[in-house]
PDB file of all heavy atoms in Angstrom:
ATOM      1  N   HIS A 680      19.847   6.655   4.197  1.00  0.00           N
ATOM      2  CA  HIS A 680      18.541   6.895   4.819  1.00  0.00           C
ATOM      3  C   HIS A 680      18.209   5.737   5.751  1.00  0.00           C
ATOM      4  O   HIS A 680      18.614   4.591   5.528  1.00  0.00           O
ATOM      5  CB  HIS A 680      17.466   7.018   3.729  1.00  0.00           C
ATOM      6  CG  HIS A 680      16.183   7.604   4.203  1.00  0.00           C
ATOM      7  ND1 HIS A 680      15.234   6.880   4.904  1.00  0.00           N
ATOM      8  CD2 HIS A 680      15.670   8.861   4.071  1.00  0.00           C
ATOM      9  CE1 HIS A 680      14.210   7.652   5.173  1.00  0.00           C
ATOM     10  NE2 HIS A 680      14.451   8.859   4.685  1.00  0.00           N
ATOM     11  N   ALA A 681      17.471   6.031   6.797  1.00  0.00           N
ATOM     12  CA  ALA A 681      17.011   4.975   7.700  1.00  0.00           C
ATOM     13  C   ALA A 681      16.181   3.971   6.912  1.00  0.00           C
ATOM     14  O   ALA A 681      15.492   4.335   5.951  1.00  0.00           O
ATOM     15  CB  ALA A 681      16.179   5.572   8.829  1.00  0.00           C
ATOM     16  N   PRO A 682      16.212   2.692   7.289  1.00  0.00           N
ATOM     17  CA  PRO A 682      15.433   1.682   6.562  1.00  0.00           C
ATOM     18  C   PRO A 682      13.949   2.028   6.524  1.00  0.00           C
ATOM     19  O   PRO A 682      13.396   2.566   7.478  1.00  0.00           O
ATOM     20  CB  PRO A 682      15.682   0.399   7.367  1.00  0.00           C
ATOM     21  CG  PRO A 682      16.974   0.632   8.068  1.00  0.00           C
ATOM     22  CD  PRO A 682      17.003   2.101   8.391  1.00  0.00           C
ATOM     23  N   LEU A 683      13.331   1.710   5.398  1.00  0.00           N
ATOM     24  CA  LEU A 683      11.896   1.915   5.198  1.00  0.00           C
ATOM     25  C   LEU A 683      11.298   0.625   4.646  1.00  0.00           C
ATOM     26  O   LEU A 683      11.978  -0.122   3.934  1.00  0.00           O
ATOM     27  CB  LEU A 683      11.632   3.031   4.185  1.00  0.00           C
ATOM     28  CG  LEU A 683      11.736   4.480   4.632  1.00  0.00           C
ATOM     29  CD1 LEU A 683      11.567   5.402   3.425  1.00  0.00           C
ATOM     30  CD2 LEU A 683      10.684   4.804   5.684  1.00  0.00           C
ATOM     31  N   PRO A 684      10.030   0.350   4.935  1.00  0.00           N
ATOM     32  CA  PRO A 684       9.376  -0.776   4.267  1.00  0.00           C
ATOM     33  C   PRO A 684       9.336  -0.546   2.759  1.00  0.00           C
ATOM     34  O   PRO A 684       8.899   0.517   2.297  1.00  0.00           O
ATOM     35  CB  PRO A 684       7.966  -0.775   4.870  1.00  0.00           C
ATOM     36  CG  PRO A 684       8.089  -0.040   6.157  1.00  0.00           C
ATOM     37  CD  PRO A 684       9.149   0.994   5.934  1.00  0.00           C
ATOM     38  N   LEU A 685       9.805  -1.526   1.992  1.00  0.00           N
ATOM     39  CA  LEU A 685       9.813  -1.468   0.534  1.00  0.00           C
ATOM     40  C   LEU A 685       9.106  -2.708   0.023  1.00  0.00           C
ATOM     41  O   LEU A 685       9.388  -3.818   0.493  1.00  0.00           O
ATOM     42  CB  LEU A 685      11.241  -1.438  -0.012  1.00  0.00           C
ATOM     43  CG  LEU A 685      12.158  -0.306   0.466  1.00  0.00           C
ATOM     44  CD1 LEU A 685      13.587  -0.573   0.020  1.00  0.00           C
ATOM     45  CD2 LEU A 685      11.689   1.025  -0.079  1.00  0.00           C
ATOM     46  N   ALA A 686       8.207  -2.557  -0.935  1.00  0.00           N
ATOM     47  CA  ALA A 686       7.436  -3.715  -1.401  1.00  0.00           C
ATOM     48  C   ALA A 686       7.143  -3.601  -2.881  1.00  0.00           C
ATOM     49  O   ALA A 686       6.824  -2.521  -3.390  1.00  0.00           O
ATOM     50  CB  ALA A 686       6.134  -3.840  -0.615  1.00  0.00           C
ATOM     51  N   ALA A 687       7.237  -4.737  -3.575  1.00  0.00           N
ATOM     52  CA  ALA A 687       6.911  -4.808  -4.994  1.00  0.00           C
ATOM     53  C   ALA A 687       5.481  -5.299  -5.167  1.00  0.00           C
ATOM     54  O   ALA A 687       4.983  -6.102  -4.373  1.00  0.00           O
ATOM     55  CB  ALA A 687       7.875  -5.736  -5.714  1.00  0.00           C
ATOM     56  N   GLY A 688       4.845  -4.817  -6.221  1.00  0.00           N
ATOM     57  CA  GLY A 688       3.507  -5.268  -6.566  1.00  0.00           C
ATOM     58  C   GLY A 688       3.548  -6.360  -7.619  1.00  0.00           C
ATOM     59  O   GLY A 688       4.584  -6.991  -7.868  1.00  0.00           O
ATOM     60  N   ALA A 689       2.409  -6.578  -8.266  1.00  0.00           N
ATOM     61  CA  ALA A 689       2.292  -7.615  -9.288  1.00  0.00           C
ATOM     62  C   ALA A 689       3.009  -7.191 -10.567  1.00  0.00           C
ATOM     63  O   ALA A 689       3.217  -5.995 -10.816  1.00  0.00           O
ATOM     64  CB  ALA A 689       0.820  -7.889  -9.582  1.00  0.00           C
ATOM     65  N   ASP A 690       3.368  -8.170 -11.384  1.00  0.00           N
ATOM     66  CA  ASP A 690       3.982  -7.900 -12.683  1.00  0.00           C
ATOM     67  C   ASP A 690       2.947  -7.876 -13.808  1.00  0.00           C
ATOM     68  O   ASP A 690       3.316  -7.826 -14.989  1.00  0.00           O
ATOM     69  CB  ASP A 690       5.050  -8.955 -12.992  1.00  0.00           C
ATOM     70  CG  ASP A 690       6.364  -8.667 -12.280  1.00  0.00           C
ATOM     71  OD1 ASP A 690       6.666  -7.484 -12.040  1.00  0.00           O
ATOM     72  OD2 ASP A 690       7.080  -9.629 -11.970  1.00  0.00           O
ATOM     73  N   THR A 691       1.684  -7.918 -13.437  1.00  0.00           N
ATOM     74  CA  THR A 691       0.595  -7.836 -14.417  1.00  0.00           C
ATOM     75  C   THR A 691      -0.416  -6.808 -13.930  1.00  0.00           C
ATOM     76  O   THR A 691      -0.458  -6.458 -12.747  1.00  0.00           O
ATOM     77  CB  THR A 691      -0.106  -9.192 -14.588  1.00  0.00           C
ATOM     78  OG1 THR A 691      -0.576  -9.647 -13.310  1.00  0.00           O
ATOM     79  CG2 THR A 691       0.844 -10.223 -15.185  1.00  0.00           C
ATOM     80  N   GLY A 692      -1.247  -6.339 -14.847  1.00  0.00           N
ATOM     81  CA  GLY A 692      -2.215  -5.313 -14.520  1.00  0.00           C
ATOM     82  C   GLY A 692      -3.318  -5.804 -13.593  1.00  0.00           C
ATOM     83  O   GLY A 692      -3.514  -6.997 -13.377  1.00  0.00           O
ATOM     84  N   PHE A 693      -4.046  -4.858 -13.044  1.00  0.00           N
ATOM     85  CA  PHE A 693      -5.163  -5.125 -12.144  1.00  0.00           C
ATOM     86  C   PHE A 693      -6.207  -5.968 -12.864  1.00  0.00           C
ATOM     87  O   PHE A 693      -6.615  -5.647 -13.980  1.00  0.00           O
ATOM     88  CB  PHE A 693      -5.769  -3.799 -11.697  1.00  0.00           C
ATOM     89  CG  PHE A 693      -6.955  -3.909 -10.798  1.00  0.00           C
ATOM     90  CD1 PHE A 693      -6.819  -4.367  -9.498  1.00  0.00           C
ATOM     91  CD2 PHE A 693      -8.216  -3.547 -11.245  1.00  0.00           C
ATOM     92  CE1 PHE A 693      -7.918  -4.449  -8.648  1.00  0.00           C
ATOM     93  CE2 PHE A 693      -9.316  -3.624 -10.412  1.00  0.00           C
ATOM     94  CZ  PHE A 693      -9.162  -4.084  -9.115  1.00  0.00           C
ATOM     95  N   ASP A 694      -6.643  -7.068 -12.220  1.00  0.00           N
ATOM     96  CA  ASP A 694      -7.615  -7.950 -12.863  1.00  0.00           C
ATOM     97  C   ASP A 694      -8.955  -8.002 -12.136  1.00  0.00           C
ATOM     98  O   ASP A 694      -9.815  -8.812 -12.488  1.00  0.00           O
ATOM     99  CB  ASP A 694      -7.030  -9.362 -13.007  1.00  0.00           C
ATOM    100  CG  ASP A 694      -6.724 -10.021 -11.646  1.00  0.00           C
ATOM    101  OD1 ASP A 694      -7.113  -9.472 -10.600  1.00  0.00           O
ATOM    102  OD2 ASP A 694      -6.100 -11.102 -11.656  1.00  0.00           O
ATOM    103  N   GLY A 695      -9.130  -7.155 -11.131  1.00  0.00           N
ATOM    104  CA  GLY A 695     -10.402  -7.096 -10.420  1.00  0.00           C
ATOM    105  C   GLY A 695     -10.505  -8.038  -9.243  1.00  0.00           C
ATOM    106  O   GLY A 695     -11.436  -7.917  -8.437  1.00  0.00           O
ATOM    107  N   SER A 696      -9.583  -8.971  -9.111  1.00  0.00           N
ATOM    108  CA  SER A 696      -9.625  -9.913  -7.994  1.00  0.00           C
ATOM    109  C   SER A 696      -8.871  -9.321  -6.803  1.00  0.00           C
ATOM    110  O   SER A 696      -7.989  -8.467  -6.982  1.00  0.00           O
ATOM    111  CB  SER A 696      -9.000 -11.250  -8.399  1.00  0.00           C
ATOM    112  OG  SER A 696      -7.616 -11.093  -8.647  1.00  0.00           O
ATOM    113  N   PRO A 697      -9.166  -9.772  -5.586  1.00  0.00           N
ATOM    114  CA  PRO A 697      -8.448  -9.274  -4.407  1.00  0.00           C
ATOM    115  C   PRO A 697      -7.059  -9.898  -4.285  1.00  0.00           C
ATOM    116  O   PRO A 697      -6.873 -10.925  -3.643  1.00  0.00           O
ATOM    117  CB  PRO A 697      -9.360  -9.669  -3.248  1.00  0.00           C
ATOM    118  CG  PRO A 697     -10.137 -10.840  -3.751  1.00  0.00           C
ATOM    119  CD  PRO A 697     -10.294 -10.659  -5.231  1.00  0.00           C
ATOM    120  N   ARG A 698      -6.065  -9.297  -4.926  1.00  0.00           N
ATOM    121  CA  ARG A 698      -4.689  -9.818  -4.898  1.00  0.00           C
ATOM    122  C   ARG A 698      -3.944  -9.228  -3.706  1.00  0.00           C
ATOM    123  O   ARG A 698      -3.811  -8.014  -3.584  1.00  0.00           O
ATOM    124  CB  ARG A 698      -3.938  -9.441  -6.175  1.00  0.00           C
ATOM    125  CG  ARG A 698      -4.516  -9.989  -7.449  1.00  0.00           C
ATOM    126  CD  ARG A 698      -3.591  -9.733  -8.624  1.00  0.00           C
ATOM    127  NE  ARG A 698      -3.409  -8.312  -8.928  1.00  0.00           N
ATOM    128  CZ  ARG A 698      -2.787  -7.847 -10.016  1.00  0.00           C
ATOM    129  NH1 ARG A 698      -2.272  -8.707 -10.880  1.00  0.00           N
ATOM    130  NH2 ARG A 698      -2.672  -6.562 -10.228  1.00  0.00           N
ATOM    131  N   GLU A 699      -3.424 -10.080  -2.863  1.00  0.00           N
ATOM    132  CA  GLU A 699      -2.650  -9.586  -1.720  1.00  0.00           C
ATOM    133  C   GLU A 699      -1.169  -9.576  -2.074  1.00  0.00           C
ATOM    134  O   GLU A 699      -0.392 -10.426  -1.638  1.00  0.00           O
ATOM    135  CB  GLU A 699      -2.900 -10.408  -0.468  1.00  0.00           C
ATOM    136  CG  GLU A 699      -2.218  -9.810   0.750  1.00  0.00           C
ATOM    137  CD  GLU A 699      -2.782 -10.306   2.066  1.00  0.00           C
ATOM    138  OE1 GLU A 699      -3.784 -11.033   2.043  1.00  0.00           O
ATOM    139  OE2 GLU A 699      -2.223  -9.938   3.103  1.00  0.00           O
ATOM    140  N   THR A 700      -0.766  -8.601  -2.863  1.00  0.00           N
ATOM    141  CA  THR A 700       0.646  -8.429  -3.139  1.00  0.00           C
ATOM    142  C   THR A 700       1.307  -7.728  -1.946  1.00  0.00           C
ATOM    143  O   THR A 700       0.633  -7.134  -1.097  1.00  0.00           O
ATOM    144  CB  THR A 700       0.868  -7.584  -4.393  1.00  0.00           C
ATOM    145  OG1 THR A 700       0.388  -6.245  -4.153  1.00  0.00           O
ATOM    146  CG2 THR A 700       0.122  -8.173  -5.596  1.00  0.00           C
ATOM    147  N   ALA A 701       2.638  -7.792  -1.914  1.00  0.00           N
ATOM    148  CA  ALA A 701       3.352  -7.125  -0.827  1.00  0.00           C
ATOM    149  C   ALA A 701       3.106  -5.617  -0.862  1.00  0.00           C
ATOM    150  O   ALA A 701       2.960  -4.973   0.187  1.00  0.00           O
ATOM    151  CB  ALA A 701       4.845  -7.428  -0.934  1.00  0.00           C
ATOM    152  N   ALA A 702       3.023  -5.048  -2.068  1.00  0.00           N
ATOM    153  CA  ALA A 702       2.778  -3.612  -2.182  1.00  0.00           C
ATOM    154  C   ALA A 702       1.388  -3.246  -1.690  1.00  0.00           C
ATOM    155  O   ALA A 702       1.207  -2.264  -0.947  1.00  0.00           O
ATOM    156  CB  ALA A 702       2.959  -3.177  -3.634  1.00  0.00           C
ATOM    157  N   ALA A 703       0.378  -4.013  -2.089  1.00  0.00           N
ATOM    158  CA  ALA A 703      -0.984  -3.728  -1.642  1.00  0.00           C
ATOM    159  C   ALA A 703      -1.081  -3.841  -0.131  1.00  0.00           C
ATOM    160  O   ALA A 703      -1.715  -3.015   0.533  1.00  0.00           O
ATOM    161  CB  ALA A 703      -1.969  -4.682  -2.316  1.00  0.00           C
ATOM    162  N   ARG A 704      -0.443  -4.860   0.446  1.00  0.00           N
ATOM    163  CA  ARG A 704      -0.487  -5.044   1.886  1.00  0.00           C
ATOM    164  C   ARG A 704       0.189  -3.888   2.616  1.00  0.00           C
ATOM    165  O   ARG A 704      -0.297  -3.432   3.655  1.00  0.00           O
ATOM    166  CB  ARG A 704       0.171  -6.382   2.256  1.00  0.00           C
ATOM    167  CG  ARG A 704       0.308  -6.645   3.754  1.00  0.00           C
ATOM    168  CD  ARG A 704      -0.964  -6.405   4.536  1.00  0.00           C
ATOM    169  NE  ARG A 704      -2.065  -7.243   4.089  1.00  0.00           N
ATOM    170  CZ  ARG A 704      -3.313  -7.106   4.546  1.00  0.00           C
ATOM    171  NH1 ARG A 704      -3.610  -6.142   5.428  1.00  0.00           N
ATOM    172  NH2 ARG A 704      -4.268  -7.897   4.104  1.00  0.00           N
ATOM    173  N   LEU A 705       1.307  -3.388   2.072  1.00  0.00           N
ATOM    174  CA  LEU A 705       1.983  -2.258   2.705  1.00  0.00           C
ATOM    175  C   LEU A 705       1.063  -1.040   2.742  1.00  0.00           C
ATOM    176  O   LEU A 705       0.946  -0.360   3.779  1.00  0.00           O
ATOM    177  CB  LEU A 705       3.272  -1.942   1.955  1.00  0.00           C
ATOM    178  CG  LEU A 705       4.253  -0.949   2.587  1.00  0.00           C
ATOM    179  CD1 LEU A 705       5.661  -1.144   2.018  1.00  0.00           C
ATOM    180  CD2 LEU A 705       3.841   0.511   2.384  1.00  0.00           C
ATOM    181  N   ILE A 706       0.387  -0.755   1.616  1.00  0.00           N
ATOM    182  CA  ILE A 706      -0.515   0.398   1.563  1.00  0.00           C
ATOM    183  C   ILE A 706      -1.678   0.212   2.522  1.00  0.00           C
ATOM    184  O   ILE A 706      -2.046   1.136   3.268  1.00  0.00           O
ATOM    185  CB  ILE A 706      -1.016   0.617   0.121  1.00  0.00           C
ATOM    186  CG1 ILE A 706       0.141   1.025  -0.791  1.00  0.00           C
ATOM    187  CG2 ILE A 706      -2.121   1.678   0.084  1.00  0.00           C
ATOM    188  CD1 ILE A 706      -0.207   1.035  -2.271  1.00  0.00           C
ATOM    189  N   VAL A 707      -2.267  -0.977   2.546  1.00  0.00           N
ATOM    190  CA  VAL A 707      -3.403  -1.241   3.428  1.00  0.00           C
ATOM    191  C   VAL A 707      -3.000  -1.083   4.889  1.00  0.00           C
ATOM    192  O   VAL A 707      -3.705  -0.442   5.689  1.00  0.00           O
ATOM    193  CB  VAL A 707      -3.966  -2.658   3.169  1.00  0.00           C
ATOM    194  CG1 VAL A 707      -4.936  -3.063   4.273  1.00  0.00           C
ATOM    195  CG2 VAL A 707      -4.662  -2.709   1.810  1.00  0.00           C
ATOM    196  N   ASP A 708      -1.870  -1.651   5.272  1.00  0.00           N
ATOM    197  CA  ASP A 708      -1.430  -1.570   6.666  1.00  0.00           C
ATOM    198  C   ASP A 708      -1.118  -0.133   7.073  1.00  0.00           C
ATOM    199  O   ASP A 708      -1.406   0.281   8.210  1.00  0.00           O
ATOM    200  CB  ASP A 708      -0.208  -2.458   6.889  1.00  0.00           C
ATOM    201  CG  ASP A 708      -0.542  -3.939   6.851  1.00  0.00           C
ATOM    202  OD1 ASP A 708      -1.745  -4.280   6.861  1.00  0.00           O
ATOM    203  OD2 ASP A 708       0.403  -4.759   6.781  1.00  0.00           O
ATOM    204  N   ALA A 709      -0.522   0.640   6.163  1.00  0.00           N
ATOM    205  CA  ALA A 709      -0.233   2.042   6.474  1.00  0.00           C
ATOM    206  C   ALA A 709      -1.523   2.842   6.604  1.00  0.00           C
ATOM    207  O   ALA A 709      -1.663   3.684   7.500  1.00  0.00           O
ATOM    208  CB  ALA A 709       0.667   2.645   5.399  1.00  0.00           C
ATOM    209  N   ALA A 710      -2.501   2.568   5.735  1.00  0.00           N
ATOM    210  CA  ALA A 710      -3.776   3.275   5.802  1.00  0.00           C
ATOM    211  C   ALA A 710      -4.562   2.887   7.041  1.00  0.00           C
ATOM    212  O   ALA A 710      -5.322   3.702   7.586  1.00  0.00           O
ATOM    213  CB  ALA A 710      -4.595   2.986   4.544  1.00  0.00           C
ATOM    214  N   ALA A 711      -4.377   1.661   7.501  1.00  0.00           N
ATOM    215  CA  ALA A 711      -5.095   1.216   8.690  1.00  0.00           C
ATOM    216  C   ALA A 711      -4.697   2.015   9.924  1.00  0.00           C
ATOM    217  O   ALA A 711      -5.462   2.089  10.901  1.00  0.00           O
ATOM    218  CB  ALA A 711      -4.835  -0.272   8.929  1.00  0.00           C
ATOM    219  N   GLN A 712      -3.517   2.635   9.898  1.00  0.00           N
ATOM    220  CA  GLN A 712      -3.063   3.452  11.022  1.00  0.00           C
ATOM    221  C   GLN A 712      -3.512   4.906  10.903  1.00  0.00           C
ATOM    222  O   GLN A 712      -3.242   5.713  11.796  1.00  0.00           O
ATOM    223  CB  GLN A 712      -1.542   3.387  11.111  1.00  0.00           C
ATOM    224  CG  GLN A 712      -0.987   1.986  11.304  1.00  0.00           C
ATOM    225  CD  GLN A 712       0.530   1.967  11.288  1.00  0.00           C
ATOM    226  OE1 GLN A 712       1.182   2.813  11.902  1.00  0.00           O
ATOM    227  NE2 GLN A 712       1.104   1.014  10.575  1.00  0.00           N
ATOM    228  N   ALA A 713      -4.168   5.228   9.793  1.00  0.00           N
ATOM    229  CA  ALA A 713      -4.637   6.589   9.563  1.00  0.00           C
ATOM    230  C   ALA A 713      -6.081   6.734  10.032  1.00  0.00           C
ATOM    231  O   ALA A 713      -6.730   5.773  10.451  1.00  0.00           O
ATOM    232  CB  ALA A 713      -4.509   6.941   8.077  1.00  0.00           C
ATOM    233  N   THR A 714      -6.588   7.955   9.940  1.00  0.00           N
ATOM    234  CA  THR A 714      -7.985   8.245  10.280  1.00  0.00           C
ATOM    235  C   THR A 714      -8.560   9.140   9.192  1.00  0.00           C
ATOM    236  O   THR A 714      -7.816   9.747   8.414  1.00  0.00           O
ATOM    237  CB  THR A 714      -8.079   8.974  11.629  1.00  0.00           C
ATOM    238  OG1 THR A 714      -7.533  10.305  11.482  1.00  0.00           O
ATOM    239  CG2 THR A 714      -7.341   8.229  12.730  1.00  0.00           C
ATOM    240  N   PRO A 715      -9.885   9.276   9.117  1.00  0.00           N
ATOM    241  CA  PRO A 715     -10.474  10.189   8.127  1.00  0.00           C
ATOM    242  C   PRO A 715     -10.003  11.628   8.293  1.00  0.00           C
ATOM    243  O   PRO A 715     -10.029  12.415   7.342  1.00  0.00           O
ATOM    244  CB  PRO A 715     -11.979  10.051   8.379  1.00  0.00           C
ATOM    245  CG  PRO A 715     -12.131   8.666   8.937  1.00  0.00           C
ATOM    246  CD  PRO A 715     -10.919   8.471   9.797  1.00  0.00           C
ATOM    247  N   ASP A 716      -9.558  11.998   9.512  1.00  0.00           N
ATOM    248  CA  ASP A 716      -9.085  13.364   9.749  1.00  0.00           C
ATOM    249  C   ASP A 716      -7.582  13.507   9.556  1.00  0.00           C
ATOM    250  O   ASP A 716      -7.079  14.631   9.457  1.00  0.00           O
ATOM    251  CB  ASP A 716      -9.458  13.797  11.165  1.00  0.00           C
ATOM    252  CG  ASP A 716     -10.970  13.892  11.364  1.00  0.00           C
ATOM    253  OD1 ASP A 716     -11.660  14.291  10.401  1.00  0.00           O
ATOM    254  OD2 ASP A 716     -11.435  13.559  12.461  1.00  0.00           O
ATOM    255  N   ALA A 717      -6.857  12.409   9.543  1.00  0.00           N
ATOM    256  CA  ALA A 717      -5.407  12.419   9.325  1.00  0.00           C
ATOM    257  C   ALA A 717      -5.085  11.280   8.367  1.00  0.00           C
ATOM    258  O   ALA A 717      -4.585  10.232   8.759  1.00  0.00           O
ATOM    259  CB  ALA A 717      -4.650  12.270  10.645  1.00  0.00           C
ATOM    260  N   LYS A 718      -5.390  11.504   7.102  1.00  0.00           N
ATOM    261  CA  LYS A 718      -5.327  10.442   6.104  1.00  0.00           C
ATOM    262  C   LYS A 718      -3.885  10.096   5.729  1.00  0.00           C
ATOM    263  O   LYS A 718      -2.970  10.923   5.862  1.00  0.00           O
ATOM    264  CB  LYS A 718      -6.096  10.853   4.845  1.00  0.00           C
ATOM    265  CG  LYS A 718      -7.584  11.052   5.075  1.00  0.00           C
ATOM    266  CD  LYS A 718      -8.302  11.361   3.770  1.00  0.00           C
ATOM    267  CE  LYS A 718      -9.805  11.515   4.010  1.00  0.00           C
ATOM    268  NZ  LYS A 718     -10.549  11.710   2.746  1.00  0.00           N
ATOM    269  N   LEU A 719      -3.729   8.865   5.262  1.00  0.00           N
ATOM    270  CA  LEU A 719      -2.484   8.470   4.619  1.00  0.00           C
ATOM    271  C   LEU A 719      -2.490   9.051   3.204  1.00  0.00           C
ATOM    272  O   LEU A 719      -3.466   8.900   2.460  1.00  0.00           O
ATOM    273  CB  LEU A 719      -2.383   6.948   4.535  1.00  0.00           C
ATOM    274  CG  LEU A 719      -1.190   6.417   3.725  1.00  0.00           C
ATOM    275  CD1 LEU A 719       0.104   6.565   4.514  1.00  0.00           C
ATOM    276  CD2 LEU A 719      -1.417   4.961   3.310  1.00  0.00           C
ATOM    277  N   THR A 720      -1.409   9.707   2.823  1.00  0.00           N
ATOM    278  CA  THR A 720      -1.257  10.186   1.450  1.00  0.00           C
ATOM    279  C   THR A 720      -0.489   9.150   0.645  1.00  0.00           C
ATOM    280  O   THR A 720       0.606   8.752   1.033  1.00  0.00           O
ATOM    281  CB  THR A 720      -0.512  11.533   1.419  1.00  0.00           C
ATOM    282  OG1 THR A 720      -1.289  12.525   2.089  1.00  0.00           O
ATOM    283  CG2 THR A 720      -0.269  11.975  -0.014  1.00  0.00           C
ATOM    284  N   VAL A 721      -1.083   8.694  -0.450  1.00  0.00           N
ATOM    285  CA  VAL A 721      -0.387   7.813  -1.385  1.00  0.00           C
ATOM    286  C   VAL A 721      -0.017   8.653  -2.599  1.00  0.00           C
ATOM    287  O   VAL A 721      -0.898   9.158  -3.300  1.00  0.00           O
ATOM    288  CB  VAL A 721      -1.252   6.610  -1.795  1.00  0.00           C
ATOM    289  CG1 VAL A 721      -0.499   5.751  -2.823  1.00  0.00           C
ATOM    290  CG2 VAL A 721      -1.622   5.774  -0.579  1.00  0.00           C
ATOM    291  N   VAL A 722       1.279   8.826  -2.808  1.00  0.00           N
ATOM    292  CA  VAL A 722       1.771   9.582  -3.951  1.00  0.00           C
ATOM    293  C   VAL A 722       2.143   8.579  -5.028  1.00  0.00           C
ATOM    294  O   VAL A 722       3.055   7.772  -4.851  1.00  0.00           O
ATOM    295  CB  VAL A 722       3.000  10.429  -3.569  1.00  0.00           C
ATOM    296  CG1 VAL A 722       3.520  11.181  -4.798  1.00  0.00           C
ATOM    297  CG2 VAL A 722       2.660  11.404  -2.453  1.00  0.00           C
ATOM    298  N   CYS A 723       1.428   8.602  -6.140  1.00  0.00           N
ATOM    299  CA  CYS A 723       1.653   7.632  -7.211  1.00  0.00           C
ATOM    300  C   CYS A 723       2.072   8.366  -8.480  1.00  0.00           C
ATOM    301  O   CYS A 723       1.309   9.188  -9.002  1.00  0.00           O
ATOM    302  CB  CYS A 723       0.392   6.803  -7.464  1.00  0.00           C
ATOM    303  SG  CYS A 723       0.583   5.592  -8.800  1.00  0.00           S
ATOM    304  N   GLY A 724       3.272   8.033  -8.969  1.00  0.00           N
ATOM    305  CA  GLY A 724       3.756   8.628 -10.202  1.00  0.00           C
ATOM    306  C   GLY A 724       3.826   7.648 -11.348  1.00  0.00           C
ATOM    307  O   GLY A 724       4.545   7.880 -12.318  1.00  0.00           O
TER     308      GLY A 724
END
C-alpha cells in the first residue's frame, strides 16, 4: 500500500489534560482539513 501517516498514542489512559501525542496530532490535523459539511470520519475499534 502507498505510505500513510501512522502514529501511536499514549501508553496510559486519558487523564483530562491536553496531551499532544502523535496520534492526537494526526487526528487534529486531518480534521482541520475537513468542514462541517464534509467531516473527517474517525473509525475507532
Side-chain angles (χ1 to χ4, degrees):
H680 195 281
L683 281 174
L685 303 170
D690 280 330
T691 56
F693 178 70
D694 63 9
S696 66
R698 298 188 296 189
E699 186 161 354
T700 65
R704 175 49 60 187
L705 190 158
I706 294 170
V707 168
D708 289 349
Q712 301 176 44
T714 69
D716 295 325
K718 296 184 178 185
L719 173 75
T720 296
V721 178
V722 178
C723 179

